[in-house]
Amino acid sequence: MAHRVGVIGGDGIGPEVVAEGLKVIAAAGVQLDTTDYDLGGGRYLRDGTVLDDATVDEWRSLDAIYMGAVGTPGVPPGVIERGLLLKMRFELDLYVNLRPFTAPGHDFVVIRENTEGTYAGEGGFLRRGTAQEIATQGSVNTRHGVERAVRYAFELATTRRRHVTLVHKTNVLTFSGDLWDRTFNLVAADYPEVATAYNHVDAACIYFVEDPGRYDVIVTDNLFGDILTDLGGAVSGGIGLAPTANLHPGRVSMFEPVHGSAPDIVGTGRANPVAAVLSGAMMLDHLGEADAAERIRKACDQPESLTGTTSEIGDAVVARLAD
């Protein structure tokens, strides 16, 4: 039976890299029943549509969503980010952002809580536009939200090297940090076979650069996770090769490369589709197609050896699958 997947090519190079990802998935022998959705900055500029509730409701019946990239010059900041990406995460409750990082000397994953923290949108203005303006931006953290992200991290660690590091800033963020720390320790008690550690986020940034091999599974809040995962991409071959999954285990989840829409290279064949291909492999894991997912990951080993145009790189991955 074909898996039901919504496809958002999006903007810029998004449709180009998604096409290669779908080509590789087909070559791996997995059948998808796809529905295309015209969403992103280009759609917003045409008719003002960002993401309507009817589309979100339609997505709830899918198995997964596969997205390329969104973002178009001329769209005001925050319109697509909050109206499409964050709305998708919140409405579909995609509470785990999972990003793997593999390079010589390290192999770790970051679990970023994906629906709370500073991205929840709590805050506002007083006396906006005056010399006495005040802006507040709160961080929303619930025991439920923290615990399910932390528990996911521990469950994942049991399938890996059995080590989880909590990253936060508990010495300064004494309320949210305390909730994260207490919850982390309570969940850890259920996994005595998993070793644990704690790093302040600034120390973790140093370790990402100087000693990333110390990490197995990292769990952290929404904002810190956003920053750390971009840094993780930079120390693991470049953010252009980084895949990501936005998960609600057992329900529709979304998969996308980390890179942006790169409108300056659209149509040139210079976009590297490896991140989209690897995101497709993460989607196959979610769909229960673990063997095909692992074959795709192996075909993308040594990504520096995959050269050529966008479509040529996709063809090279397909050829490796056939070996």
Side-chain angles (χ1 to χ4, degrees):
M1 182 180 296
H3 304 286
R4 296 167 300 163
V5 174
V7 177
I8 306 171
D11 301 311
I13 62 171
E16 299 174 28
V17 297
V18 161
E20 298 309 307
L22 292 173
K23 178 169 72 179
V24 170
I25 289 170
V30 178
Q31 292 185 334
L32 302 181
D33 177 7
T34 61
T35 301
D36 291 323
Y37 293 91
D38 178 16
L39 296 170
R43 173 71 183 276
Y44 173 78
L45 290 176
R46 287 198 305 275
D47 64 14
T49 298
V50 181
L51 176 58
D52 59 79
D53 293 339
T55 298
V56 174
D57 288 339
E58 187 175 323
W59 286 345
R60 298 183 201 280
S61 66
L62 299 177
D63 299 314
I65 299 167
Y66 188 37
M67 187 164 74
V70 291
T72 301
V75 178
V79 170
I80 301 302
E81 293 84 352
R82 295 211 68 87
L84 175 57
L85 298 176
L86 293 186
K87 182 174 181 178
M88 184 188 305
R89 293 176 193 171
F90 296 150
E91 292 294 323
L92 298 178
D93 198 24
L94 306 178
Y95 66 89
V96 168
N97 181 274
L98 170 63
R99 295 193 188 180
F101 300 101
T102 304
H106 66 262
D107 173 13
F108 65 93
V109 297
V110 177
I111 305 302
R112 165 189 171 191
E113 196 291 315
N114 211 28
T115 61
E116 296 187 348
T118 52
Y119 290 20
E122 190 273 333
F125 294 101
L126 290 174
R127 298 189 289 274
R128 191 169 190 264
T130 73
Q132 294 78 36
E133 181 171 350
I134 300 170
T136 63
Q137 190 80 55
S139 179
V140 177
N141 301 265
T142 69
R143 167 66 183 271
H144 169 71
V146 173
E147 181 171 351
R148 63 182 182 172
V150 170
R151 193 167 295 278
Y152 183 92
F154 274 89
E155 286 289 331
L156 181 61
T158 64
T159 70
R160 294 174 50 90
R161 300 194 306 277
R162 298 175 182 261
H163 191 281
V164 180
T165 303
L166 170 63
V167 174
H168 210 279
K169 191 68 174 173
T170 56
N171 59 336
V172 175
L173 303 177
T174 53
F175 301 120
S176 61
D178 183 67
L179 173 59
W180 272 87
D181 186 58
R182 284 186 288 110
T183 304
F184 182 83
N185 291 330
L186 285 168
V187 173
D190 293 336
Y191 298 86
E193 73 279 20
V194 178
T196 63
Y198 171 79
N199 290 161
H200 289 324
V201 65
D202 43 353
C205 288
I206 296 171
Y207 297 143
F208 266 43
V209 175
E210 295 184 347
D211 185 24
R214 69 169 54 212
Y215 293 119
D216 179 23
V217 178
I218 294 168
V219 63
T220 189
D221 88 336
N222 209 337
L223 177 59
F224 294 149
D226 193 359
I227 297 165
L228 283 174
T229 49
D230 282 354
L231 180 57
V235 302
S236 303
I239 199 169
L241 300 176
T244 190
N246 297 271
L247 301 171
H248 189 121
R251 285 168 39 178
V252 59
S253 297
M254 188 269 278
F255 304 83
E256 60 176 334
V258 176
H259 61 66
S261 59
D264 56 319
I265 61 170
V266 173
T268 66
R270 291 165 53 197
N272 190 325
V274 168
V277 170
L278 291 173
S279 297
M282 296 179 77
M283 180 172 70
L284 295 188
D285 280 326
H286 173 74
L287 296 174
E289 302 283 358
D291 290 343
E294 186 59 26
R295 288 173 55 217
I296 291 172
R297 277 190 286 271
K298 288 182 178 178
C300 291
D301 280 350
Q302 299 178 323
E304 68 280 358
S305 66
L306 293 166
T307 60
T309 66
T310 307
S311 61
E312 287 171 347
I313 292 174
D315 291 340
V317 176
V318 168
R320 290 183 179 184
L321 285 172
D323 289 343

